[in-house]
Amino acid sequence: MKFAIIKERKNPPDRRVVFSPAKLIEAKTKFPKAEFVVESSDIRVFSDEAYANKGFEVTEDVTDCDVMIGVKEVPIKALIPNKTYFFFSHTIKKQPYNRKLLQAILEKNIELYDHETIVNDKGFRLIGFGRYAGIVGAYNGFRAWGLKYDAWNLPKAGPLPNQAALIEELKRIELPNIKILLTGSGKVSNGAQEMLDAMHVKLVSVDDYLSQDFNEPVYCKIDVLDYNKRLDGTEVTDVFDFFNHPEKYESNFMRFAKVTDYYIAGHFYGDSAPYLYTREDVKSLDFNIKVVADISCDVDGPVATTLRASTIADPIYGYDPETETEIDFKDDRAITVMAVDNLPCELPQDASEGFGEMFLEHVIPAFFNNDKDGILTRAKITENGKLTNRFSYLQDYVDGVE
């Protein structure tokens, strides 16, 4: 089996890669029958020389490889027919902008596996960049606060080498006695929590957060049952009741918005779930949030202040509650919003190393153990020019039927 670490060709350039040189050495050691080739790249966070120095072939031509492993979407012109590909295709939610990509994958008889579809037997994702989105998102939120209030001037995350460097920058700032709210329970929110803990911000309970004032900065981490309540008033402790019946709930987030200064959105938002807060909620005098780091970045969705995704180059904008429009983030009326939708790109080395660890643990073994855990079977989107049964719901999307 011959694997190719392919060059990232999507714009803007993405410096991440699935396997660092060190992790590729580990993969080769664990699976000596696997052959790994690296497609030459001038943008990758690890240089061609770094791979060559570890003994890997670096080449411009990977057409003789069986499995192509990348990060972002592969441009249609660069797709090699009759190959197996791994990358984030952004098609499984029927994203209109990638319909032609999936059509081309089928036409070219490509076997597609999307990193998002690599799940365990309970449907939980096994690999992803979520932790690094959380790390950078929390940092960028503090950077936005400093810029809004001229309190500090943190450098952009991108030029800094790793998470440790971000933490060192954050440790230099002196936080006011603000209340920080973090939503979520997965990799994204855990990544953000790592940063708060590294800064020694005190974690407090929901009850204390809602009822007490503090003479130091504090944060509270909440999950779906903390900010949603049953319409019928029933007290629920099982989160699966919410996941299975989101339409039976309404948001209870405003009790947190009333006492929060800086909000970090690290939750997963499911279809039919209530919005955390609406545009009308933001108009309320009880809405106290001043800075939002929306890592989840569902545009015009459950976090109503997120009008659009921002960019690494220009990550911050302001939201005017009264006009529901974008204004300068330093305006006194503005809620400051950071909503970059590709945050892990700002931490390419750490993100690549962490991603490779997960890919080596869960995916590569499946090629050599007859896929005994069903990893590849569940993740496969296309085969023999057709959608697999698991992803047959995409047929109308492929056919162009809305």
Side-chain angles (χ1 to χ4, degrees):
M1 184 71 66
K2 194 170 186 179
F3 299 87
I5 310 305
I6 60 175
K7 177 180 179 177
E8 296 298 319
R9 291 177 166 85
K10 187 178 179 182
N11 278 315
D14 193 318
R15 302 182 67 211
R16 291 174 296 172
V17 64
V18 171
F19 281 122
S20 67
K23 194 55 63 174
L24 212 51
I25 283 286
E26 188 178 331
K28 181 64 179 173
T29 301
K30 287 185 176 179
F31 301 98
K33 291 183 179 179
E35 185 177 351
F36 294 97
V37 172
V38 179
E39 186 175 11
S40 179
S41 169
D42 57 355
I43 62 165
R44 193 179 286 133
V45 67
F46 303 103
S47 67
D48 287 353
E49 291 74 23
Y51 289 95
N53 290 341
K54 294 290 187 182
F56 294 104
E57 178 188 353
V58 178
T59 178
E60 301 280 352
D61 184 5
V62 294
T63 54
D64 64 335
C65 295
D66 306 299
V67 181
M68 312 291 170
I69 303 174
V71 178
K72 287 289 191 71
E73 298 103 310
V74 177
I76 291 172
K77 289 182 179 179
L79 289 168
I80 304 171
N82 307 313
K83 301 293 183 182
T84 295
Y85 275 88
F86 284 82
F87 58 84
F88 286 107
S89 70
H90 297 118
T91 58
I92 62 173
K93 295 179 182 177
K94 301 184 179 182
Q95 290 94 323
Y97 55 88
N98 276 337
R99 177 185 280 117
K100 289 182 179 178
L101 174 61
L102 187 53
Q103 289 170 339
I105 285 167
L106 292 165
E107 289 167 8
K108 292 174 183 284
N109 191 36
I110 286 168
E111 197 170 283
L112 173 65
Y113 298 82
D114 190 304
H115 296 307
E116 284 193 69
T117 65
I118 299 168
V119 298
N120 65 15
D121 57 2
K122 292 182 174 61
F124 292 107
R125 284 182 61 181
L126 294 172
I127 62 174
F129 288 105
R131 176 188 168 217
Y132 303 95
I135 289 168
V136 179
Y139 177 89
N140 281 1
F142 282 114
R143 182 172 179 270
W145 183 287
L147 291 172
K148 178 176 177 65
Y149 294 108
D150 295 318
W152 51 75
N153 194 357
L154 289 169
K156 283 192 171 185
L160 298 174
N162 50 34
Q163 181 189 12
L166 300 187
I167 290 170
E168 283 306 307
E169 292 291 342
L170 289 175
K171 283 182 174 179
R172 294 192 182 104
I173 67 177
E174 187 171 344
L175 292 179
N177 295 340
I178 58 174
K179 285 185 172 182
I180 303 166
L181 185 69
L182 172 60
T183 49
S185 59
K187 291 182 174 66
V188 173
S189 64
N190 290 344
Q193 186 173 16
E194 286 181 37
M195 303 302 278
L196 296 169
D197 290 343
M199 296 171 72
H200 304 296
V201 180
K202 183 179 180 180
L203 173 64
V204 298
S205 69
V206 169
D207 288 343
D208 287 350
Y209 186 85
L210 293 173
S211 63
Q212 293 186 23
D213 294 322
F214 298 88
N215 57 6
E216 62 181 317
V218 299
Y219 82 93
C220 182
K221 186 179 183 184
I222 60 175
D223 203 1
V224 289
L225 293 184
D226 296 308
Y227 58 86
N228 290 289
K229 61 182 180 180
R230 289 268 306 207
L231 290 165
D232 62 9
T234 304
E235 289 289 332
V236 181
T237 57
D238 181 4
V239 294
F240 286 99
D241 183 69
F242 174 81
F243 295 147
N244 294 329
H245 307 287
E247 72 284 352
K248 295 183 179 180
Y249 285 77
E250 64 180 346
S251 173
N252 195 21
F253 185 86
M254 281 298 289
R255 62 186 183 139
F256 292 98
K258 187 175 183 178
V259 298
T260 295
D261 300 291
Y262 168 31
Y263 169 42
I264 306 172
H267 57 271
F268 170 79
Y269 177 74
D271 292 339
S272 302
Y275 280 10
L276 279 81
Y277 58 85
T278 66
R279 294 185 180 188
E280 286 305 310
D281 290 333
V282 184
K283 291 184 170 90
S284 168
L285 293 176
D286 284 340
F287 194 92
N288 188 62
I289 297 171
K290 302 170 184 68
V291 173
V292 178
D294 188 358
I295 305 169
S296 299
C297 196
D298 294 301
V299 175
D300 199 23
V303 177
T305 43
T306 301
L307 295 172
R308 62 175 176 86
S310 53
T311 64
I312 290 172
D314 191 15
I316 307 167
Y317 59 88
Y319 176 84
D320 183 344
E322 290 307 312
T323 62
E324 302 178 5
T325 59
E326 184 175 329
I327 57 173
D328 188 307
F329 72 86
K330 298 195 77 164
D331 191 296
D332 289 342
R333 296 168 295 165
I335 295 168
T336 297
V337 177
M338 189 293 304
V340 175
D341 62 357
N342 57 342
L343 287 163
C345 295
E346 295 198 73
L347 208 62
Q349 182 173 320
D350 282 6
S352 298
E353 289 170 344
F355 196 90
E357 190 170 328
M358 293 179 279
F359 201 88
L360 178 55
E361 178 184 355
H362 298 293
V363 181
I364 298 297
F367 283 96
F368 300 95
N369 65 14
N370 293 317
D371 192 27
K372 67 180 181 66
D373 297 316
I375 299 291
L376 299 179
T377 301
R378 285 190 294 272
K380 188 187 300 180
I381 297 176
T382 62
E383 184 177 34
N384 298 324
K386 297 179 180 179
L387 294 166
T388 59
N389 287 339
R390 189 178 178 90
F391 294 94
S392 59
Y393 72 90
L394 294 172
Q395 190 62 57
D396 60 346
Y397 167 62
V398 170
D399 294 339
V401 179
E402 296 299 335

